[in-house]
Amino acid sequence: MFRTLIRKFNYLKLNSLNNSSIKNTPKKEEIPKSIKEIKNKLNQTFSECNDFITRELEIGEKREIKVIIAYIDGLVEKKMVDTEIIKPILIDSRLTKLNQEFNKKTTIEILKENIISISGLNEVDDFNESIQSILSGDTMTYIDGNKKALKADTRGFEFRGVEEPDTESVVRGPREGYTESIRINTALLRRKVKNANLKFESLKLGKQTNTDVMVCYIKGIAHDDVVETVKRRLKKINTDAILESGYIEEFIEDAPLSIFPTVGNTEKPDITAAKILEGRVAILCDGTPFVLTVPYLFVESIQASEDYYSRFISSSFLRLIRILALASSTLTPAIYVALLCFHQDIIPAKLMITIVSSREGVPFSAFIEAALMIIAFELLREAGVRMPRQIGQAVSIVGALVLGQSAVEAGLISSMMVIVIAVTAITSFIVSSMDRTIPFLRFALLIGANVIGFMGIFLVSEVILIYMCSLRSFGVPYLAPFSPLNGMDLKDTFIRVPVWAMLKRPKALTENKDGGEQSGYRMKVNYRKKED
Amino acid sequence: MKYGVKRYLLLSILCLFLINLTGCWDNKDIIELGIVSAVGIDKTSDDQVEVTIQIMKISAIKAKAQGSSEETFWTFSKKGNTVFEAIRSILTTIDHKPFYNFNELVVIGEDLAKDGVMDVLDFFERDHENRVQSFVLIAKGISAKEVLSAKTDLASVPALHLVETIKSSKASTRIIEMELFDLLKGFSCPGKNPVAGVIEKLNSEDDELKIINLSVEGGAVFIKDKLQGWIESKDLVGYLIIINEFKNGIINIPNPHEENKFVTIELKKVNSKMDIKFVNNKPIIFLDVKAEGNIGEQQGPGDLTTKEMVKKLDEGLEKKIEEEVTKVFKLAQEEYKNDFLGFGNIIYKKNLRYWKKVKDNWDSEFSNIPVDIKIKAKVLQPGQVKKALEPK
């Protein structure tokens, strides 16, 4: 059915790949020798850029060599530029006794080694690269008569501090969350995993935005194929803008038309750390606190970071509760409709009386009633997310009183249906990572139930299961370790065994030392004993 | 591409076949159904069958819980040559589709029962909409229609009142819990005649018949599928002990200290084993009863916890149980000449050759078989006091 669509989609992807390989490689351009040319070129590039600032200075005792300092106001820490670059050039260069004479050739060496007191200092010989650095918040120092320039890391701009994220609050566990600055995010992650094998590979994405993106993994744990796949897919991205990691997610996910997410995201460094320690790859994107992790499997939707921070008995219980919530959130309306319309005979007599008396006088069929209530709930929920905080109270009053109580009192909706939808609503919040998927499943099952009762529910759930089995996330079967079944990996699914009993890393994710492709599913299935 | 289309077509056709596999395929909303709580069947004077159904009035049930006095049920009666015909003609009267899956009770009139019930029960066994787990009661001295129209103040619906009565009065050992399925099984079981529950009218001066004027007690003895006679409710203790259905009940024995006063023993555990043994190719009935109980009440003074007294109590209990059991054997062998206890079935299982010889006149054969009863009874605990308080 979707095959043609998918094929077309792949074709489009291929197209964009071809284009990107032509357009995205920036041409190398030499830095002009003469300071005048440099100045002209800079002014030309940054014409009408109010925040671009250049400063021409003379260096040395004889003041014969000119340099240009260029940066973007707001992106740099001004104090640093003033005291560590401009002041040494203007004053220290004249006072310090040097072995060498200043001339066009030696200046860059002297500046580098003796004068500029900034740790992040690099030589650049490509004009385009220097422009790019300026745009990222570096300060460039161009020297008259030299084809090389100096790039000083003076980045310092306003950003939100490290706060507790609203989306993933915990009772026990670290409260820090990512910020919009990628450098802080990498630092947060590095603080969790103090290991040189933790790699951050940087690349820039987006033709217009030039967003910094980093691929993060632990060398030796992450599967090489996955790392390679991630990098390959990222390099293929050809788009104007990457404003959030969601843009990247859509480009690299395995099943772009699926309702199931095959790329995970989180706002917390401890979760990311745990995931990359299991062999996953994280993708950090500048400008957003949401970090992607791949491969993303179905089990991850019922796992929470707190499972590992609290004792295993209670967290195993919570796992089961979450599975129950997932089932009840998708199935409850369908089962209720199937019971009411097809299988009245299996309802206990007393419950039957309660249900019938609550439904008496309701003008809609059970299916219409359920569909209306589900849509009403989705509307309320969307309103709750979008509206300004101040009018939240008004919406909740209208939602609870008008939709709930009045609809029942007026006899439009039965009170049983309100309870059923309330149960599905509450339980859908428990498995929050699936909450964009569940409404579709819920509706599909509801329609199945309305057509042929329980048989329809079974039929639809079977189709969903088969479909889930067919999904892959970066080569790993989406339903692993249930399908294909891996007994050892079940240790962290329905229950969480004690941490001291988790001896091996997840089989589906960890690296095979031999490398190479294996038939069947692409992930290598080698055990790696945890080093003590 | 062509191959793909073909495959999807095939798959969807297969899915269509699946729809045929479902049992109930019609989408019928629960509020379009009239929930039948009881069915009554009578014989009319012109030899037709009269079917009465009691339908729950759900809104009234809810209102009743909040104190309304509105009637909570409707009853409809229709006549026909067969049960199905009568039930179908009910459809012309009511707007809801009668829904029999919650039918808890089937009441059969005495006249109809005497003529044989298989002709009417076939419909209940055959039709998929009926359930065979409903209780069966034989209306004694009253028509089934009257039973179903009796009103109740206690439960939401009269039928539920009766059903709850049957379920809760197990401990009184005066009721027989017989489901339709067991009754049908009893009819088909070789060497055994079933005993069904009975509902009868108590004497009362009220004009309007109410459920409290009805009493569910005693048993109705069938021979083949015809009603033969009744077992009094006080004789049911013996019957239940013999067929090992005595779960929990009380028995009165004389106080060893004072003959005309009683001690009530609450039997906690009664196990009986019916058996037939052949001596010289003649069958002998063996009944082995083991009973354990506690003292529930004591009339008259005296300490019953001494070794001697306990032994006397045990003996008294054994004697009493034997009395009860013998009474039932007498009823079966001498009065009714009807093996409703099911010893024929034991012969059928143990000695098929002998059974084939006697099965045609088993009931008369049965009444001549000697009975050997062995009873072992024990009184275990005196309750919270050691001996009865003696007023000074």
Side-chain angles (χ1 to χ4, degrees), chain B residues 37-92:
Chain B
S37 53
V39 176
I41 311 163
D42 285 307
K43 202 180 83 174
T44 57
S45 47
D46 52 345
D47 249 358
Q48 275 193 319
V49 180
E50 184 176 28
V51 175
T52 310
I53 58 172
Q54 187 182 80
I55 292 186
M56 296 191 213
K57 223 152 99 183
I58 303 274
S59 57
I61 290 173
K62 208 182 173 192
K64 190 176 179 177
Q66 286 151 5
S68 151
S69 59
E70 197 189 345
E71 271 318 316
T72 54
F73 64 99
W74 295 289
T75 47
F76 295 97
S77 292
K78 279 281 154 109
K79 287 175 197 167
N81 289 319
T82 62
V83 177
F84 205 7
E85 189 191 326
I87 276 185
R88 267 295 147 89
S89 57
I90 288 175
L91 282 179
T92 57

Side-chain angles (χ1 to χ4, degrees), chain B residues 178-191:
Chain B
M178 175 64 89
E179 289 180 2
L180 192 54
F181 179 73
D182 295 326
L183 187 68
L184 292 166
K185 210 168 80 180
F187 287 145
S188 63
C189 185

Side-chain angles (χ1 to χ4, degrees), chain A residues 207-385:
Chain A
K207 278 181 290 185
Q208 303 297 332
T209 56
N210 288 308
T211 311
D212 285 312
V213 173
M214 284 194 195
V215 179
C216 166
Y217 59 92
I218 296 182
K219 209 175 167 110
I221 295 179
H223 196 298
D224 287 342
D225 284 357
V226 177
V227 179
E228 278 314 307
T229 314
V230 170
K231 283 196 272 188
R232 202 174 59 235
R233 287 187 190 175
L234 284 176
K235 276 173 195 156
K236 275 184 191 172
I237 295 176
N238 175 25
T239 182
D240 270 357
I242 301 286
L243 295 179
E244 215 270 344
S245 50
Y247 286 56
I248 301 172
E249 182 178 340
E250 274 198 54
F251 276 109
I252 63 169
E253 64 189 339
D254 287 65
L257 301 178
S258 169
I259 52 168
F260 289 96
T262 48
V263 175
N265 66 67
T266 176
E267 250 190 292
K268 303 197 73 182
D270 56 319
I271 295 175
T272 319
K275 290 196 170 169
I276 59 176
L277 282 166
E278 276 185 350
R280 290 187 177 83
V281 177
I283 300 159
L284 286 75
C285 172
D286 198 20
T288 176
F290 286 93
V291 169
L292 305 178
T293 50
V294 290
Y296 183 75
L297 309 181
F298 176 69
V299 270
E300 286 174 60
S301 60
I302 55 163
Q303 293 170 338
S305 64
E306 235 174 313
D307 287 351
Y308 306 93
Y309 304 149
S310 50
R311 298 186 62 243
F312 81 97
I313 295 176
S314 59
S315 48
S316 297
F317 173 69
L318 288 176
R319 281 279 167 84
L320 297 177
I321 290 283
R322 254 175 251 140
I323 290 166
L324 183 76
L326 186 64
S328 96
S329 175
T330 47
L331 283 170
T332 319
I335 289 177
Y336 180 68
V337 167
L339 279 180
L340 246 61
C341 296
F342 289 90
H343 313 281
Q344 299 93 347
D345 43 329
I346 62 167
I347 311 173
K350 278 175 186 165
L351 182 61
M352 176 99 170
I353 291 173
T354 317
I355 293 175
V356 174
S357 63
S358 84
R359 264 186 66 64
E360 225 152 7
V362 174
F364 306 115
S365 76
F367 171 73
I368 302 283
E369 210 186 342
L372 281 178
M373 283 301 285
I374 290 174
I375 291 168
F377 164 67
E378 292 297 328
L379 286 173
L380 265 181
R381 189 193 137 106
E382 190 56 18
V385 177

Side-chain angles (χ1 to χ4, degrees), chain B residues 20-40:
Chain B
N20 286 329
L21 296 177
T22 60
C24 12
W25 59 274
D26 53 335
N27 185 335
K28 198 133 199 94
D29 203 308
I30 202 163
I31 48 173
E32 293 163 27
L33 305 172
I35 300 161
V36 176
S37 53
V39 176

